[in-house]
Amino acid sequence: GSTKELIESCCGAGQQWAIDNGECTEIPVSGMDGDICRIAQKQCCVSTVKENSCLAGMIAAKEGDVCGPEEGDPCGGSAYKQCCDCCNLGLRLRSEGKSCESSINLGYPCSHVMLSCCEGGDHFIHPEIKRQPEPLPTVTPEKVSETEDHNEALSINNEAELSNNLPGDDLDECLIYGGELCQHLCINTVGSYKCSCFPEFSLQEDGTSCSPDLDRGQVARLEAGATIPPVASPSQPLRIVSLEEEQDKCKENGPCKHICNVVEGNVVCSCLSGYTIMADGISCEDLDECLTGAHACSRGQLCVNTLGSFYCVNHRVICAEGFILNRHRKCVDINECVTDTHTCQRREHCLNTVGSFKCLQELSCQPGYELKDGECVDIDECERGTHSCKVNFVCQNTEGSFYCESKQRCMDGFLQDPEGNCVDINECTSLSEPCKPGFNCINTVGSYTCQRNILTCSRGYHSNEEGTRCVDVDECQTGVHRCGEGQICHNLPGAYRCDCKMGFQYDAFSRGCIDINECWNYPGRLCQHTCENTPGSYHCTCSSGFRLSYDGKHCEDVNECDTSPCSQECANVYGSYQCYCRQGFQLAEDGHSCKDIDECTQSAGILCTFRCVNVPGSYQCACPEQGYTIAANGRTCRDIDECAIGTHNCSAAETCYNIQGSFRCLSFECPSNYRKVSDMRCERISCYNYLDCQNTPVRITYYQLNFQTNIVVPAHIFRIGPSPAYAGDNIILTIIKGNEENYFSTRRLNSYTGIVYLQRQVKEPKDFLLDVEMKLWRQGTYTTFLAKIYIFITAHAY
């Protein structure tokens, strides 16, 4: 077939792969034309996965679920989260009673999803699909344009009525209703949709179902008048099994497991509803309606497969304990051993099971224990005879070990050795204080005795009160030393020493202590700045701007700024200080006071877009008294929307339209023989003769445009044409009123599209009202449309 048909069929295969697998990483390539089919399969699969994820996100938002980032999505930008977040925006607007308007800056599909959720329509209910009526001519004109970017989209149906839908407003039925419209493939068109079939299938007269194409053998049997055996549906395929001719080949159901039929002398096996034939052509297996999409559950329900059937769950999916809901809304097992949610104790091993876990005891025990019934229990070495006690000892079991207890007892003062013999105890070494102070310990067999000491001390020592040891005599404390005046006595073990006080040194000639001049002996090492000697010591002083620190040696800087010597700001420097001024001021000649800077005079008009006003230490920008307010940046002027805030003076019968720096009150009235169908549109009620029907407009539509005086010409300001356009269409575009000064002109882009453009630059603010007439020639008939365009040229924005 053609490339278009190949793309449609391969696209259907990609969509089916997305439905069955939920991803597009390992999609097989069909045997058809390689690159074309591969690209179509891949793109349609990716598009279907994103659409399904987007629909799931919208459902989650409407059900109040949290739009958290999906797993494996570090940027949080998946279709699921995007559509869920954007739907929440629409639901928020709806709850606040705001008007539902799409935002161009949000982009597609976020703007479309937000508008859909705000309007509150349930896009998951089967719609009543209305087919477009057949066109009047017997030969349908070929469409040459579906999505031209017109400012106004015009089209004609069999009643010569006009629609005015922009291409971006088209409803994608295939996206919203999934696989509910067509049996195989759904292809969206502007204002409607159409169905197509997989390869080797043909679209039926109902425009939605598909039937398999006949092979050559079946065509030959048709020409011979043969009867074609029934063709299996995709959910229940049939396989023809040839058997030897018998009088009753389906006796006792023949070879078939479910249903047996004879067609043209051959046995045909089929299955009951909810089952599908297996590869052997005889057996039947359960058909998973939830996996194949053959169920009837709505978008808000969950399909649960059963043997031969299925059922729908209306509430949200709640997983059993030990399971968690994944991104595909299926319950999967939690591995408690990996997620550290198990309760196994130390010395136990965690083993994951479906929906739970097990704790297994470790297989090894410490020495002295053995494993029994999964636990480590003590080994009784005495009972088993595995101890090492000798003949004169008795084994006594302990937890995890044992000890040997002697059968023979020794008298006091003796201790039994490992061989069982009694040996003497040396109390003098085994006891901490066997004798009183002043006595020596002498060991005896089985006991000990204490003998008094005879103590003799050397010069400078004397015995203590107990007479047990010699202690030093402190000559300095008892006053028996011979140190002179101004000297200090230091006790030594057995003696004493006379020293000079700190800051003095001994003079051998005078045999006295004289002052030490530390400043001379240690120049530059004692004080950071200046050293002054004192009797027995010294004193440090600091230079101007410094003060002595707590250690009495170093000098630290004095912070003169604490006394506020400057009129504004003060900066302390090492040994001094410096005055400086805040922004908008400069330091005066005295070095202490500050004077204001006139920024408006020095900037030469580059600070503010309209007017600069100097204030002490800074400046302020001002805007015109009417129509503008200062912007958030404080420099530029922002237009005030008088229509939005209600400060206009338009009457109830007029419509307020905001322009740069002001507003306009517009009145939209329909002429006689016209009725108002919307705020900006009038439609003709009737026409009385052929000439009147040809020349009077079928529809009159009002538009408002706003431009600045510095717009570059030529500038295209308005595009008009029919949508959809058909081959043979032709338009004539004319400005019939409002162009007396010849500022504007028209031009055709092609036979069915024209533009209105500004050909002369407007140098001063000015208002225009143009009447632009479009005559459409289609199939031998002229139809007239009138666009009344208000054009406001405003001054350059401040």
Side-chain angles (χ1 to χ4, degrees):
S2 64
T3 301
K4 181 178 181 181
E5 295 173 350
L6 179 62
I7 292 175
E8 290 181 356
S9 61
C10 295
C11 179
Q15 290 175 332
Q16 190 63 41
W17 180 270
I19 294 172
D20 294 340
N21 300 277
E23 49 83 23
C24 305
T25 56
E26 298 179 357
I27 181 170
V29 179
S30 174
M32 295 180 253
D33 193 345
D35 289 340
I36 295 177
C37 195
R38 176 180 57 79
I39 294 172
Q41 280 182 316
K42 180 71 174 181
Q43 296 305 318
C44 290
C45 179
V46 172
S47 176
T48 302
V49 169
K50 288 184 178 179
E51 290 170 1
N52 292 340
S53 181
C54 181
L55 288 174
M58 294 175 66
I59 293 174
K62 291 185 177 181
E63 292 179 353
D65 292 346
V66 179
C67 305
E70 293 186 289
E71 298 176 1
D73 184 14
C75 298
S78 66
Y80 176 92
K81 177 171 174 55
Q82 181 186 19
C83 293
C84 183
D85 289 338
C86 296
C87 185
N88 276 329
L89 295 179
L91 294 174
R92 183 67 178 267
L93 286 175
R94 180 182 176 187
S95 64
E96 295 178 356
K98 305 293 184 180
S99 60
C100 297
E101 297 179 357
S102 62
S103 174
I104 299 177
N105 295 330
L106 288 176
Y108 183 84
C110 186
S111 177
H112 178 74
V113 170
M114 183 194 74
L115 183 60
S116 174
C117 293
C118 177
E119 291 175 347
D122 191 353
H123 295 282
F124 309 106
I125 301 177
H126 288 277
E128 179 184 355
I129 303 301
K130 295 184 179 180
R131 301 291 181 181
Q132 293 290 343
E134 296 295 330
L136 285 175
T138 56
V139 179
T140 303
E142 178 186 358
K143 290 187 179 182
V144 296
S145 172
E146 284 279 2
T147 58
E148 287 288 341
D149 186 16
H150 305 309
N151 189 288
E152 178 182 19
L154 302 175
S155 63
I156 298 179
N157 63 7
N158 59 342
E159 298 178 358
E161 294 182 354
L162 295 169
S163 63
N164 194 22
N165 293 325
L166 292 174
D169 296 332
D170 173 52
L171 188 66
D172 191 340
E173 297 85 359
C174 299
L175 171 63
I176 296 176
Y177 306 111
E180 301 172 2
L181 303 180
C182 302
Q183 183 179 358
H184 282 191
L185 306 175
C186 178
I187 302 172
N188 183 58
T189 62
V190 177
S192 184
Y193 68 95
K194 68 178 182 178
C195 298
S196 181
C197 298
F198 295 146
E200 301 181 0
F201 286 84
S202 300
L203 191 66
Q204 300 302 296
E205 294 181 356
D206 59 3
T208 59
S209 59
C210 298
S211 177
D213 296 334
L214 301 178
D215 57 22
R216 294 180 180 177
Q218 291 172 327
V219 174
R221 287 193 295 272
L222 272 178
E223 294 174 352
T227 302
I228 298 176
V231 179
S233 68
S235 62
Q236 293 187 349
L238 298 182
R239 180 183 178 92
I240 298 177
V241 181
S242 297
L243 303 176
E244 297 180 0
E245 292 192 8
E246 298 177 3
Q247 184 177 1
D248 188 359
K249 298 181 179 181
C250 283
K251 185 177 181 180
E252 296 181 358
N253 211 36
C256 303
K257 298 297 183 183
H258 280 191
I259 303 172
C260 177
N261 292 302
V262 178
V263 180
E264 292 185 348
N266 295 327
V267 171
V268 178
C269 295
S270 59
C271 299
L272 297 173
S273 176
Y275 294 85
T276 181
I277 198 77
M278 296 181 67
D280 59 5
I282 298 174
S283 304
C284 296
E285 64 179 353
D286 174 56
L287 175 65
D288 191 339
E289 294 85 357
C290 301
L291 181 62
T292 60
H295 60 86
C297 299
S298 66
R299 292 290 179 181
Q301 293 178 320
L302 176 67
C303 174
V304 181
N305 185 61
T306 61
L307 191 61
S309 184
F310 67 93
Y311 65 92
C312 302
V313 180
N314 291 320
H315 54 78
R316 293 170 57 188
V317 179
I318 300 177
C319 295
E321 185 177 0
F323 294 85
I324 190 171
L325 192 67
N326 67 358
R327 60 185 293 183
H328 300 297
R329 300 176 71 87
K330 292 184 179 180
C331 293
V332 296
D333 174 55
I334 299 174
N335 191 335
E336 294 83 359
C337 299
V338 176
T339 58
D340 201 23
T341 56
H342 60 85
T343 57
C344 296
Q345 304 298 323
R346 292 184 61 187
R347 300 173 58 85
E348 288 183 333
H349 174 67
C350 177
L351 177 64
N352 185 59
T353 60
V354 178
S356 185
F357 62 93
K358 292 181 179 179
C359 296
L360 303 180
Q361 188 75 25
E362 291 185 358
L363 300 180
S364 61
C365 296
Q366 294 181 355
Y369 295 87
E370 64 180 355
L371 189 65
K372 189 175 182 179
D373 297 331
E375 295 183 358
C376 291
V377 297
D378 175 56
I379 298 174
D380 192 340
E381 295 86 356
C382 301
E383 181 181 350
R384 295 189 181 184
T386 58
H387 60 84
S388 60
C389 297
K390 296 185 178 181
V391 178
N392 295 329
F393 291 84
V394 178
C395 175
Q396 297 292 336
N397 185 61
T398 61
E399 190 71 23
S401 185
F402 67 94
Y403 72 94
C404 300
E405 184 178 6
S406 176
K407 297 178 181 179
Q408 180 181 346
R409 297 291 182 179
C410 295
M411 296 184 298
D412 292 341
F414 292 88
L415 180 66
Q416 196 169 37
D417 63 6
E419 301 295 330
N421 302 315
C422 293
V423 295
D424 177 55
I425 299 174
N426 189 348
E427 292 83 0
C428 294
T429 58
S430 61
L431 299 178
S432 60
E433 292 184 0
C435 299
K436 295 180 180 179
F439 290 84
N440 284 331
C441 176
I442 301 174
N443 185 56
T444 61
V445 177
S447 184
Y448 68 97
T449 60
C450 296
Q451 188 177 12
R452 180 180 292 275
N453 293 330
I454 300 175
L455 187 63
T456 302
C457 297
S458 61
R459 184 179 178 180
Y461 293 89
H462 63 85
S463 62
N464 61 359
E465 295 179 356
E466 291 82 10
T468 58
R469 59 190 179 91
C470 295
V471 295
D472 174 57
V473 176
D474 190 346
E475 294 84 358
C476 298
Q477 185 177 3
T478 57
V480 295
H481 62 84
R482 296 182 179 180
C483 295
E485 186 178 357
Q487 293 181 331
I488 300 174
C489 176
H490 288 282
N491 184 58
L492 298 175
Y496 66 94
R497 185 182 73 246
C498 298
D499 295 329
C500 294
K501 294 181 180 179
M502 184 177 293
F504 294 86
Q505 62 183 1
Y506 181 76
D507 183 27
F509 295 99
S510 63
R511 297 184 178 180
C513 295
I514 61 174
D515 176 51
I516 299 173
N517 191 335
E518 294 84 358
C519 299
W520 287 358
N521 291 347
Y522 311 101
R525 294 166 56 186
L526 301 178
C527 299
Q528 185 177 5
H529 284 187
T530 305
C531 177
E532 297 178 0
N533 186 60
T534 60
S537 183
Y538 63 93
H539 176 68
C540 297
T541 58
C542 297
S543 304
S544 175
F546 296 89
R547 63 186 172 194
L548 200 63
S549 63
Y550 68 94
D551 61 1
K553 297 181 179 181
H554 295 85
C555 296
E556 60 183 18
D557 176 52
V558 176
N559 190 353
E560 295 85 357
C561 295
D562 291 341
T563 60
S564 302
C566 304
S567 64
Q568 287 191 358
E569 303 296 334
C570 175
N572 184 58
V573 296
Y574 195 66
S576 184
Y577 66 97
Q578 176 66 46
C579 295
Y580 67 97
C581 302
R582 303 186 189 101
Q583 185 175 359
F585 295 88
Q586 60 185 2
L587 195 66
E589 290 77 7
D590 59 5
H592 292 80
S593 58
C594 297
K595 59 182 181 180
D596 178 49
I597 299 174
D598 190 346
E599 295 85 357
C600 297
T601 304
Q602 296 182 1
S603 66
I606 62 173
L607 296 177
C608 302
T609 57
F610 182 67
R611 184 171 67 250
C612 177
V613 178
N614 185 62
V615 295
S618 183
Y619 67 94
Q620 292 179 351
C621 295
C623 293
E625 295 181 358
Q626 295 181 348
Y628 292 90
T629 183
I630 197 72
N633 59 13
R635 297 180 61 252
T636 59
C637 297
R638 179 173 57 85
D639 173 57
I640 298 175
D641 191 345
E642 296 85 358
C643 301
I645 63 177
T647 57
H648 60 85
N649 57 0
C650 299
S651 65
E654 294 176 323
T655 300
C656 178
Y657 178 75
N658 185 64
I659 63 173
Q660 193 75 24
S662 185
F663 63 93
R664 294 289 185 270
C665 297
L666 306 179
S667 177
F668 304 105
E669 297 294 338
C670 295
S672 59
N673 198 32
Y674 286 83
R675 59 188 174 91
K676 198 170 187 180
V677 296
S678 69
D679 292 340
M680 300 295 176
R681 186 174 301 151
C682 301
E683 288 187 355
R684 187 178 63 198
I685 299 174
S686 61
C687 56
Y688 303 101
N689 53 60
Y690 176 80
L691 185 61
D692 187 27
C693 294
Q694 291 283 312
N695 295 331
T696 58
V698 174
R699 175 178 297 162
I700 301 174
T701 310
Y702 290 85
Y703 299 93
Q704 298 85 39
L705 304 176
N706 191 3
F707 302 100
Q708 296 179 2
T709 53
N710 59 352
I711 184 172
V712 179
V713 295
H716 295 184
I717 63 173
F718 193 78
R719 177 179 290 192
I720 189 169
S723 177
Y726 292 87
D729 284 357
N730 205 342
I731 65 169
I732 300 174
L733 205 61
T734 309
I735 301 177
I736 61 176
K737 186 178 178 182
N739 195 27
E740 289 78 10
E741 299 180 55
N742 201 27
Y743 279 104
F744 304 91
S745 183
T746 63
R747 182 166 62 88
R748 290 204 317 169
L749 298 179
N750 50 48
S751 61
Y752 49 85
T753 307
I755 60 170
V756 178
Y757 66 93
L758 182 67
Q759 63 180 0
R760 287 179 52 201
Q761 193 173 57
V762 183
K763 297 183 179 180
E764 294 182 354
K766 192 175 181 65
D767 296 348
F768 298 92
L769 174 57
L770 299 183
D771 287 358
V772 180
E773 180 185 76
M774 184 187 78
K775 286 184 175 294
L776 172 64
W777 173 262
R778 175 175 289 175
Q779 300 176 8
T781 304
Y782 270 115
T783 307
T784 304
F785 306 94
L786 181 62
K788 299 181 77 67
I789 309 172
Y790 286 96
I791 302 173
F792 305 104
I793 308 296
T794 60
H796 179 69
Y798 296 108

